[in-house]
């Protein structure tokens, strides 16, 4: 048995601190043996004291560019939570250490080219060691990954088969993307500009499903009126990673959604008629990554802003018969920080307590490895609701 159930790596960053606070408040009664880790012991001590964690909370010093220290750290953990990104710049040594040691791993990665590179390099090692590596355990991409899974479960219950087409539609959202998401997106764009192979992975909807070439996918970049939600829709920034994770889930699970499955994500814009059209076209022209307007890693909104945030996402499963079913996933905190910090913590605990480790080594999505158990945890503890409409 590992010395610690969970080691939280990156606990002094903005999101890492929120995860530490959540663990201390919900699981600080001794039910979970956890430790805070990062580069500086003095900063870890400061965060521990500021969030009200017990004075005896273990603190571990390890640097992302010190493989030996990382190997020593993961050897003491059942699962490592890492919030240290961009992962393409800082993530590989920790992932490699977990894959070699058989240690569980969850992150917040939304960098598809790096994820594919890690799958190619470490999936076999993780299978051999029994390490369960789970990418994208935050707003990208749990609500979307599990939302599609939930919609397909309802389609099978109602129609007797999975839907060949699902639409993800963000109906409402208050909050901001995290500084880490912004930095990761900027790093991905910079890498793609330098390497055509990375650009190819970025644009391929099946780049996280090695060896599978699926059907043509809907173009989520063109504003249009969508009768499935009776509104105009526009491009959604995070579709570039979420759609790939959904297709990877289908791939890893043996294609329960079908080999011909199509999926896209768009955001609903307010307004009827020409007003709605104009709003959708205006959103499509926006570039959220232009300039340096996003939050920097380590920065984030106030507690009040996080707690007043929310999101509401519809998933419309459409059948060839033109029948459809709509489900929703809603969160009670801002997506990039408040909700994400709870989702990644519960993902780690789901690995520890709810998912048998035997024969489950490899690099996973939440939706392929633990959809039902994680959905139950998120509804019980993390402020998410899943409903059939």
């Amino acid at each position: 048995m590992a010395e610690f159930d969970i080691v939280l790596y990156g606990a002094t960053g903005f999101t890492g601190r929120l995860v530490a606070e959540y663990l201390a408040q919900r699981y600080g009664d001794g039910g979970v043996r956890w430790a805070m880790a990062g580069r500086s012991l003095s900063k870890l001590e400061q965060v521990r004291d500021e969030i009200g964690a017990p004075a005896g909370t273990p603190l571990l010093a390890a640097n992302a560019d010190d493989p030996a220290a990382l190997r020593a750290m993961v050897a003491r953990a059942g699962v490592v939570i890492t919030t240290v990104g961009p992962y393409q710049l800082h993530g590989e040594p920790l992932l490699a250490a977990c894959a070699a040691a058989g240690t569980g791993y969850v992150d917040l990665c939304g960098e598809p080219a790096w994820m594919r590179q890690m799958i190619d390099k470490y999936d076999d090692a993780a299978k051999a060691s029994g390490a369960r590596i789970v990418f994208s355990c935050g707003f990208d991409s749990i609500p979307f990954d599990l939302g599609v899974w939930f919609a397909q479960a309802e389609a099978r219950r109602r129609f007797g088969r999975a839907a060949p087409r699902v639409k993800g539609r963000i109906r409402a959202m208050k909050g901001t993307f995290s500084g880490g998401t912004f930095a990761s997106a900027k790093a991905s764009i910079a890498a793609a500009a330098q390497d055509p192979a990375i650009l190819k992975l970025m644009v391929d909807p099946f780049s996280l499903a090695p060896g599978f070439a699926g059907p043509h996918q809907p173009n989520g970049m063109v504003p249009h009126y969508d009768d499935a939600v009776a509104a105009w829709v526009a491009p959604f920034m995070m579709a570039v990673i979420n759609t790939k994770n959904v297709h990877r889930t289908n791939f890893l699970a043996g294609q329960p959604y079908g080999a011909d499955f199509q999926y896209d994500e768009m955001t609903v814009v307010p307004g009827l008629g020409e007003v709605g059209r104009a709003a959708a076209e205006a959103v499509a022209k926006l570039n959220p990554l232009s300039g340096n307007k996003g939050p920097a890693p380590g920065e984030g909104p106030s507690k009040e802003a996080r707690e007043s945030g929310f999101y509401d996402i519809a998933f419309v499963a459409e059948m060839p018969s033109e029948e459809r079913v709509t489900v929703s996933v809603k969160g009670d905190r801002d997506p990039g920080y408040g909700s994400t910090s709870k989702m990644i913590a519960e993902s780690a605990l789901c690995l520890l307590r709810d998912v048998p480790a035997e024969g489950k080594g490899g690099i996973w999505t939440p939706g392929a490895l633990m959809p039902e158990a994680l959905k139950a945890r998120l509804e019980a503890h993390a402020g998410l609701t899943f409903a059939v409409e």
Side-chain angles (χ1 to χ4, degrees):
M1 178 181 290
E3 180 181 354
F4 303 113
D5 294 323
I6 292 172
V7 169
L8 168 59
Y9 186 62
T12 60
F14 193 91
T15 302
R17 178 189 175 115
L18 295 178
V19 179
E21 188 172 31
Y22 178 77
L23 289 171
Q25 291 176 353
R26 181 167 289 280
Y27 300 103
D29 59 358
V32 176
R33 296 171 295 119
W34 68 288
M36 299 166 59
R39 290 178 296 177
S40 166
L41 283 177
S42 62
K43 289 183 179 179
L44 288 168
E45 290 172 351
Q46 180 180 348
V47 170
R48 178 195 62 195
D49 296 342
E50 288 176 350
I51 66 173
T57 302
L59 308 177
L60 310 178
N63 199 313
D65 60 6
D66 185 348
L70 294 177
R71 287 193 297 269
M73 181 183 76
V74 304
R76 304 172 70 181
V79 176
V80 172
I81 297 173
T82 174
T83 61
V84 179
Y87 294 93
Q88 62 196 279
L89 302 180
H90 309 298
E92 183 172 354
L94 178 58
L95 187 148
C98 288
T103 299
Y105 166 105
V106 295
D107 71 16
L108 299 173
C109 189
E111 304 162 43
W114 181 81
M115 292 161 66
R116 173 57 186 271
Q117 292 166 353
M118 296 302 98
I119 291 165
D120 291 343
K121 292 180 71 171
Y122 298 108
D123 190 42
D124 287 344
K127 289 176 179 175
S129 71
R132 295 164 296 166
I133 309 292
V134 190
F135 290 139
S136 307
C137 291
F139 186 65
D140 49 341
S141 296
I142 282 176
F144 305 91
D145 192 12
L146 295 194
V148 173
W149 169 83
F150 184 57
Q152 291 287 31
E154 182 60 19
R156 283 190 291 269
R157 187 192 70 79
R158 190 172 299 191
F159 307 123
R161 57 164 290 192
R165 174 83 164 93
V166 173
K167 297 177 177 179
R169 298 294 183 259
I170 297 82
R171 296 187 295 199
M173 185 169 69
K174 180 183 178 183
T176 183
F177 302 116
S178 72
T181 294
F182 187 81
S184 293
K186 298 275 279 190
S188 294
I189 291 170
Q194 299 296 320
D195 187 344
I198 291 178
L199 179 60
K200 184 178 179 180
L201 293 175
M202 293 283 289
V203 301
D204 178 5
F206 301 101
S207 61
L208 300 184
F212 177 69
H216 175 74
Q217 295 297 302
N219 185 343
M221 300 304 295
V222 179
H224 63 275
Y225 183 83
D226 186 354
D227 62 0
V229 289
W232 281 86
V233 294
F236 178 54
M237 170 187 170
M238 293 171 64
V240 67
I241 176 59
N242 295 333
T243 54
K244 292 176 176 60
N245 274 323
V246 167
H247 286 302
R248 179 162 175 79
T249 288
N250 190 37
F251 170 76
L252 289 174
Q255 297 181 334
Y257 309 159
D260 60 347
F261 175 63
Q262 293 181 306
Y263 175 65
D264 72 329
E265 292 172 3
M266 301 190 77
T267 188
V268 174
V269 297
L272 301 174
E274 290 303 312
V275 174
R277 178 198 293 271
E281 291 175 348
V283 170
K285 293 176 182 178
L286 293 175
N287 179 3
L289 299 177
S290 62
N292 293 296
K293 299 177 182 178
E299 297 179 349
S302 67
K303 180 179 180 181
E304 292 74 21
R306 297 194 303 272
E307 292 184 351
S308 67
F310 60 87
Y311 50 90
D312 174 4
I313 311 164
F315 296 90
V316 185
E318 299 184 333
M319 307 302 292
S321 61
E322 298 188 359
E323 294 177 293
R324 62 170 59 129
V325 61
T326 300
V327 306
S328 65
V329 179
K330 299 179 182 180
D332 69 347
R333 294 289 187 273
D334 80 299
Y337 296 94
S339 191
T340 282
S341 59
K342 295 190 289 185
M343 283 190 278
I344 193 171
E346 292 298 336
S347 295
L349 287 159
C350 196
L351 273 187
L352 277 170
R353 295 180 171 175
D354 306 330
V355 181
E358 186 67 28
K360 296 296 185 180
I363 298 181
W364 292 92
T365 59
L369 180 61
M370 50 187 182
E372 190 165 358
L374 184 56
K375 171 181 172 290
R377 276 195 167 273
L378 297 176
E379 289 187 299
H381 304 304
L384 272 70
T385 57
F386 295 73
V388 179
E389 299 189 346

